[in-house]
Amino acid sequence: MDIKLVPTICPYCGCGCGLNYVVKDEKIVGVEPWKRHPLNEGKLCPKGNFSHEFIHRDDRLTTPLIKKDGKFVPATWDEAISLIASKFTEMKAKYGPETMACFASARSTNEENFVMQKFARVAIGTPNIDHCARLCHGTSVAGLAKTLGSGAMTNTITDIKDSKLVFIIGSNTLEDHPLVGRSVIRAKESGAKIIVCDPRFNMTAKQADIYVPFKSGTDVALFNAMMYTILSEGLENKEFIKNRTKGFDALKEEVMKCPPEWAEPITGVPADTIRKIARMYATSGASSILFAMGITQHATGTDNVVSVSNLALICGMIGRPGVGINPLRGQNNVQGACDMGCLPNVVSGYQAVINDELRKKYAGLWNVADLPNKVGLTIVETMNAADEGKVKGLYIMGENPMVSDPNVNHVKHALEKLEFLVVQDIFLTETAELASVVLPAAAGPEKQGTYTSTERRVQLLRPAVKPPGQAKADWEIICSIAKKMGVKGFDFNSAKEIFQEVAKVTPQYAGMSYERLEKPEALHWPCPAADHAGTPILHVPKFSHPDGLGILFGVPFKPPAEVPDAEYPLVLTTGRLLYHYHTGSMSRRSHTLDAEVPTGFLEINPEDAAKLGVKDGAKVKVKTRRGEIEINAKVTPNIIKNHVFVPFHFWECSANKLTIDALDPFAKMPELKVCSCKVEVVPVE
Ligand code: SF4
């Protein structure tokens, strides 16, 4: 009996923990610590510890499926690839390439995402390529690119332990990024103060020195009032502002309209608390900001991120150890999918598609006359266009918009209107059920490639087992379709060969190779040359704008797109849980994780519950202008008054049947974190 340990990277969240899969008889039978891994040093959260449980499930997709007369029929690869290639070619000629769109995947490897965006731009010729970063950190990328010139975590996860103050807003770090949470706790043990701002008294807030409950969607007001205090009391870092930033006058003009007393009724935070946390942040000596989707998933998400940046810049809390702005990316490779250019406005390395010179460089390398020279449609725009009949063909790799996207009743309608939908995944997801053709993909532990974690660490995956049945790596499938369409440039023989092309065309990855990534530390981008050691901390001597300066902006407060009224008097906010991951397609198929939290629930404050006659555990109906769900109530003081919370992992009580698809004007991020709802008791029959 042979047992082997295969060191690789956790397939769940963006922390990027290393683990060892225990392989026996060609099956993964368990997980063992990889103590040498520099981030997690052998520690794992429950998802990582049980990350093998979904791999060998009987319901894995093992063969291509073609829908005939409304039913899926197993097909050979040749049949499926021939059908897709001929249909894509025909639709491209008949309707034009812009009637087609591709969704890449934050769960697939860098190599697969790189090939997917190349497929969209070269094989189809469409600018419409996006992925679910649109739904989590699209506004981080837009906001930080605007202020710092680069939209990623400025510091590393382990660097957080050197902070003197950790300011966490809109992130349930200990539950959603447990191994980042470990660094927060280490900072606290070394004497750092922890401030947590959130409408929920969540697992992270329970560790805080100061917990600041505030109303969802009022972040800009809170930041402006904090900066009012800092500037009024002369606590700003004048030298940093003078030497390393521009735009201070515009910022000051806006901020000085926003005293804490003005912000108190908007945010629900007492003016004295705002002053206190502002002074603590500005004077700690080393303050780090962590944020996640509580900041980003708003129609003002880019404004929120710019406000985060404003605060850090005026206090000089950037470009050295223990400080920084740290957007915590959700999925294992959402950073990498963005880096690889799976966004409608940039090719890999955040190089703008509307820049003629950059686009021509790519076109030359890829042997085509030009690439689509316009910004394509984002995820929500694609769904709207599908609903209007303007997008007719969609190729989805490893995404499940039927659970992840806002207003899923509308998403279902849009997907059903498509002429041709291809879904490539490891399970028959709620979205795959609607497909014309389903393609079986290999899961993370079954393939080679790289993931880029939230801290910009590019890490090698090592295959532990073979994919089941006829399932293949995503890149192999995409290349087969491209080749069948007669398109050149997809003759890759391995993930390594694709990575070599990534390094050739992506400045941040230029100095990387599989050989250099073998060591557990791997490399943090940017790594511009083969002898460069990588860059754990960004913006040390200068920012990424051409003039090297950080930019400050005055940001006026705007209320959420939908505010409570007489008909819908409560604020609905959504989020994640420790035991589950995204749309639940993997974690809900892990019996250990599923047993912990088998379905969704609605958190409601005891005062609101009493007014509505809602008892703990009772079934309630939650309604918004877009849909309704039935769900069990959890009456708890952990959610502030006039707000309710629903986790979004569970399709049977889908939070996203309720959420609004109002968009941030810059990043086109939907406002998943706030809309108006009403709650009614469901009578017991
Ligand atoms: Fe996996 Fe994230 Fe848990 Fe680490 S913290 S074990 S990467 S799910």
Side-chain angles (χ1 to χ4, degrees):
M1 180 176 71
D2 278 348
I3 290 186
K4 61 177 179 178
L5 296 182
V6 180
T8 189
I9 305 303
C10 177
Y12 281 116
C13 90
C15 289
C17 297
L19 48 74
N20 273 303
Y21 281 126
V22 184
V23 180
K24 183 182 155 199
D25 300 334
E26 297 303 314
K27 295 253 187 266
I28 304 177
V29 295
V31 172
E32 284 288 320
W34 182 10
K35 294 193 174 151
R36 172 74 177 79
H37 193 274
L39 167 67
N40 58 312
E41 300 168 315
K43 310 283 189 296
L44 293 168
C45 82
K47 284 196 284 288
N49 265 319
F50 299 104
S51 60
H52 60 295
E53 288 187 346
F54 69 87
I55 296 296
H56 302 299
R57 291 266 311 200
D58 290 344
D59 55 349
R60 280 288 301 275
L61 289 167
T62 55
T63 182
L65 302 170
I66 295 175
K67 197 174 268 171
K68 291 182 181 158
D69 300 324
K71 291 212 170 87
F72 283 120
V73 178
T76 64
W77 272 113
D78 195 41
E79 286 167 336
I81 296 293
S82 298
L83 172 64
I84 295 167
S86 67
K87 194 74 190 161
F88 280 172
T89 306
E90 175 202 315
M91 291 177 78
K92 190 176 147 181
K94 189 169 165 192
Y95 305 121
E98 289 186 28
T99 61
M100 301 172 73
C102 299
F103 290 171
S105 175
R107 288 186 242 188
S108 299
T109 63
N110 286 321
E111 293 75 1
E112 291 163 334
N113 280 295
F114 182 81
V115 168
M116 185 50 129
Q117 59 90 35
K118 183 174 177 181
F119 179 84
R121 293 181 164 119
V122 173
I124 305 271
T126 179
N128 304 327
I129 168 80
D130 203 11
H131 74 289
C132 71
R134 183 71 43 212
L135 309 175
C136 58
H137 278 283
T139 45
S140 300
V141 174
L144 295 180
K146 199 170 159 182
T147 59
L148 311 180
S150 171
M153 265 180 82
T154 63
N155 290 49
T156 67
I157 295 171
T158 47
D159 178 78
I160 295 163
K161 71 177 179 359
D162 297 325
S163 301
K164 301 278 182 273
L165 181 139
V166 186
F167 185 89
I168 303 174
I169 183 162
S171 160
N172 184 1
T173 314
L174 268 71
E175 196 159 350
D176 299 338
H177 297 88
L179 267 292
V180 178
R182 180 170 177 250
S183 278
V184 174
I185 297 301
R186 289 170 114 185
K188 185 179 159 96
E189 284 168 355
S190 302
K193 295 288 180 226
I194 313 295
I195 297 172
V196 175
C197 308
D198 203 285
R200 290 175 74 219
F201 186 55
N202 55 33
M203 200 184 277
T204 311
K206 286 169 191 163
Q207 296 296 328
D209 295 284
I210 300 184
Y211 166 53
V212 184
F214 77 114
K215 296 178 193 170
S216 186
T218 64
D219 310 71
V220 168
L222 181 64
F223 280 110
N224 279 352
M226 286 176 70
M227 288 187 277
Y228 176 98
T229 302
I230 289 165
L231 297 183
S232 304
E233 299 183 8
L235 302 177
E236 73 274 24
N237 186 329
K238 296 179 183 64
E239 203 180 320
F240 192 92
I241 294 169
K242 180 167 165 253
N243 295 333
R244 296 209 48 194
T245 71
K246 62 184 181 189
F248 179 68
D249 290 343
L251 168 84
K252 187 173 180 185
E253 189 184 339
E254 184 59 43
V255 159
M256 295 318 284
K257 297 177 200 160
C258 309
E261 284 73 16
W262 163 84
E264 180 171 326
I266 297 172
T267 60
V269 183
D272 280 347
T273 304
I274 296 175
R275 278 189 278 272
K276 183 173 179 181
I277 60 175
R279 290 172 192 141
M280 287 172 70
Y281 177 84
T283 61
S284 77
S287 295
S288 168
I289 301 177
L290 312 187
F291 71 87
M293 292 187 265
I295 280 284
T296 60
Q297 286 180 331
H298 292 276
T300 57
T302 302
D303 283 354
N304 293 351
V305 173
V306 170
S307 298
V308 169
S309 186
N310 282 339
L311 176 66
L313 286 171
I314 66 164
C315 295
M317 296 293 184
I318 200 150
R320 58 191 164 91
V323 300
I325 300 172
N326 296 304
L328 304 177
R329 313 297 299 253
Q331 300 197 65
N332 54 341
N333 197 36
V334 66
Q335 181 67 54
C338 292
D339 298 347
M340 293 302 106
C342 296
L343 298 168
N345 59 333
V346 289
V347 284
S348 72
Y350 305 95
Q351 302 176 91
V353 292
I354 52 167
N355 181 318
D356 289 344
E357 205 180 310
L358 290 172
R359 206 180 56 253
K360 290 274 160 52
K361 180 183 90 177
Y362 268 83
L365 284 163
W366 289 344
N367 275 325
V368 287
D370 200 356
L371 300 176
N373 65 354
K374 63 189 273 199
V375 174
L377 299 173
T378 60
I379 283 186
V380 176
E381 290 174 325
T382 300
M383 292 302 172
N384 292 341
D387 194 27
E388 291 163 12
K390 292 178 186 159
V391 163
K392 297 177 187 298
L394 181 57
Y395 180 8
I396 300 179
M397 169 174 80
E399 299 249 327
N400 190 9
M402 278 293 294
V403 183
S404 62
D405 287 19
N407 195 1
V408 290
N409 287 332
H410 175 253
V411 170
K412 182 165 189 280
H413 194 247
L415 293 176
E416 285 173 343
K417 281 186 84 172
L418 290 167
E419 185 174 313
F420 194 60
L421 170 63
V422 177
V423 176
Q424 186 166 302
D425 212 312
I426 62 173
F427 292 109
L428 193 67
T429 62
E430 293 74 13
T431 304
E433 299 266 11
L434 302 177
S436 318
V437 182
V438 175
L439 302 173
E446 297 160 350
K447 59 191 173 187
Q448 196 176 38
T450 54
Y451 293 152
T452 303
S453 74
T454 184
E455 58 175 353
R456 298 171 284 105
R457 195 195 296 265
V458 183
Q459 307 192 91
L460 264 190
L461 295 186
R462 295 165 186 87
V465 288
K466 292 196 177 73
Q470 299 176 48
K472 293 182 185 183
D474 288 305
W475 69 264
E476 291 181 76
I477 303 171
I478 301 165
C479 289
S480 300
I481 299 170
K483 282 191 271 188
K484 197 77 180 177
M485 290 171 74
V487 182
K488 292 202 170 55
F490 291 85
D491 297 312
F492 300 109
N493 293 305
S494 66
K496 186 176 178 178
E497 271 186 29
I498 302 169
F499 194 82
Q500 286 161 353
E501 184 167 315
V502 169
K504 201 159 133 191
V505 298
T506 312
Q508 295 88 334
Y509 287 62
M512 294 186 189
S513 63
Y514 273 24
E515 289 71 25
R516 292 196 74 196
L517 298 179
E518 272 293 342
K519 58 179 182 169
E521 288 74 14
L523 288 163
H524 296 269
W525 67 251
C527 175
D531 59 354
H532 191 282
T535 312
I537 300 180
L538 293 179
H539 314 306
V540 176
K542 61 187 177 74
F543 292 100
S544 306
H545 289 302
D547 62 5
L549 296 175
I551 308 178
L552 296 158
F553 293 89
V555 181
F557 167 70
K558 296 186 203 90
E562 195 175 62
V563 291
D565 55 19
E567 196 182 355
Y568 295 97
L570 296 169
V571 171
L572 168 72
T573 191
T574 66
R576 290 173 284 170
L577 303 174
L578 174 63
Y579 294 98
H580 285 290
Y581 180 70
H582 209 241
T583 68
S585 60
M586 287 149 58
S587 59
R588 296 192 77 191
R589 286 180 170 88
S590 160
H591 58 268
T592 308
L593 300 174
D594 190 51
E596 290 290 339
V597 188
T599 191
F601 52 85
L602 170 108
E603 285 187 357
I604 184 166
N605 184 278
E607 286 189 36
D608 294 321
K611 268 192 242 161
L612 296 166
V614 172
K615 299 264 184 298
D616 190 41
K619 178 137 306 195
V620 294
K621 190 173 275 187
V622 191
K623 289 185 182 173
T624 69
R625 290 182 175 87
R626 293 150 295 280
E628 61 182 55
I629 58 169
E630 286 193 359
I631 192 166
N632 289 329
K634 188 184 269 188
V635 179
T636 168
N638 289 347
I639 180 87
I640 62 170
K641 276 191 292 181
N642 302 320
H643 285 54
V644 293
F645 166 83
V646 177
F648 74 85
H649 309 291
F650 306 95
W651 63 266
E652 70 278 15
C653 46
S654 169
N656 284 326
K657 274 191 180 158
L658 307 171
T659 49
I660 189 167
D661 43 11
L663 299 182
D664 175 274
F666 306 102
K668 308 294 166 78
M669 162 77 76
E671 188 149 65
L672 293 156
K673 274 287 184 279
V674 53
C675 68
S676 303
C677 73
K678 62 179 157 189
V679 174
E680 296 165 358
V681 176
V682 175
V684 181
E685 291 174 1

